[in-house]
Amino acid sequence: QQQVKQSPQSLIVQKGGISIINCAYENTAFDYFPWYQQFPGKGPALLIAIRPDVSEKKEGRFTISFNKSAKQFSLHIMDSQPGDSATYFCATNTGTASKLTFGTGTRLQVTL
Amino acid sequence: NAGVMQNPRHLVRRRGQEARLRCSPMKGHSHVYWYRQLPEEGLKFMVYLQKENIIDESGMPKERFSAEFPKEGPSILRIQQVVRGDSAAYFCASSPFGGLNYGYTFGSGTRLTVV
């Protein structure tokens, strides 16, 4: 049972463009929605996270947009840079306080 | 302040051998989580431990897998009689408290290859 669906699987964006990655979840009881960034050979690193009491959160070039009624949230990377090339995972706490369920990941490539 | 330390970084085991993966949490963190990542997939929760206690092992396979976090020393994930399907990256994360308000910090993982 896939509780978090992430798309697209891969994404190629030109330098300076906007990267958009989407996630959909199933249960309105989920209340924590982080995005993780993972470089090859490394562990995931928390990028930005949102709670459902706000519809948007921005940190530098990274923005989470949250649509509670549609049960969707997305990551926007503004002014994408080659250094942003990595795999991005959305996640949510599927009903428990400490356990995360991850999406299947989006491999982002930012070209020059 | 060192991050979450996992060793070994790479581990090769023959089918039927035991694999032992170690995780030292960040200083001051008493909550440890283990996740498994299969190739081209997201991370899957395995187990959540506090010192000397298993809090949630709902993601652990029923057989061959065990985890501990002793009062002294690192957390250990043990896989007995490994099979090819156990080949994956195993990540450990730690947090200062339970719950997600403080986020997780992940280690760089142990990549297990079963031959």
Side-chain angles (χ1 to χ4, degrees):
Chain A
Q1 183 185 5
Q2 193 175 358
Q3 300 193 60
V4 182
K5 293 184 181 178
Q6 184 172 346
S7 63
Q9 193 172 16
S10 62
L11 183 61
I12 300 175
V13 173
Q14 278 198 317
K15 180 182 175 183
I18 302 174
S19 304
I20 301 175
I21 305 170
N22 301 298
C23 272
Y25 61 97
E26 297 182 349
N27 193 322
T28 54
F30 304 162
D31 63 0
Y32 177 71
F33 304 91
W35 284 91
Y36 280 81
Q37 179 188 56
Q38 185 179 30
F39 292 104
K42 299 292 186 183
L46 179 63
L47 196 59
I48 187 172
I50 198 168
R51 298 272 182 190
D53 52 345
V54 296
S55 60
E56 187 175 281
K57 183 175 181 179
K58 185 176 180 179
E59 290 184 2
R61 296 185 294 108
F62 301 92
T63 300
I64 297 181
S65 295
F66 185 78
N67 186 330
K68 190 173 182 178
S69 60
K71 292 186 285 186
Q72 294 176 345
F73 59 110
S74 59
L75 175 69
H76 296 234
I77 306 174
M78 313 299 286
D79 186 26
S80 298
Q81 299 296 312
D84 297 330
S85 297
T87 300
Y88 293 81
F89 294 95
C90 63
T92 184
N93 59 330
T94 50
T96 67
S98 300
K99 184 167 68 179
L100 288 175
T101 295
F102 285 81
T104 50
T106 296
R107 185 171 294 177
L108 171 65
Q109 182 182 352
V110 181
T111 60
L112 292 171
Chain B
N1 183 15
V4 177
M5 304 300 292
Q6 289 189 249
N7 65 80
R9 290 295 307 275
H10 300 274
L11 183 61
V12 179
R13 284 286 176 268
R14 295 188 183 279
R15 281 178 293 170
Q17 290 185 319
E18 178 179 286
R20 192 171 295 202
L21 289 61
R22 295 176 186 77
C23 169
S24 296
M26 287 185 70
K27 188 176 181 181
H29 288 197
S30 59
H31 298 252
V32 165
Y33 315 82
W34 285 92
Y35 283 77
R36 176 165 63 176
Q37 184 175 34
L38 295 170
E40 306 301 320
E41 291 188 18
L43 286 82
K44 298 274 194 279
F45 170 81
M46 298 183 76
V47 63
Y48 163 33
L49 309 105
Q50 280 180 267
K51 287 281 187 181
E52 300 183 280
N53 285 306
I54 296 174
I55 308 301
D56 182 349
E57 57 181 348
S58 58
M60 287 281 270
K62 294 288 185 280
E63 298 177 349
R64 303 187 297 109
F65 286 72
S66 63
E68 63 176 7
F69 188 16
K71 188 177 180 180
E72 302 290 337
S75 175
I76 305 287
L77 179 68
R78 185 180 291 110
I79 311 172
Q80 296 177 304
Q81 298 177 308
V82 296
V83 300
R84 288 239 170 92
D86 297 332
S87 295
Y90 292 82
F91 291 95
C92 165
S94 72
S95 65
F97 305 101
L100 290 162
N101 288 328
Y102 302 92
Y104 284 172
T105 301
F106 279 93
S108 293
T110 293
R111 279 141 189 91
L112 172 66
T113 302
V114 179
V115 296

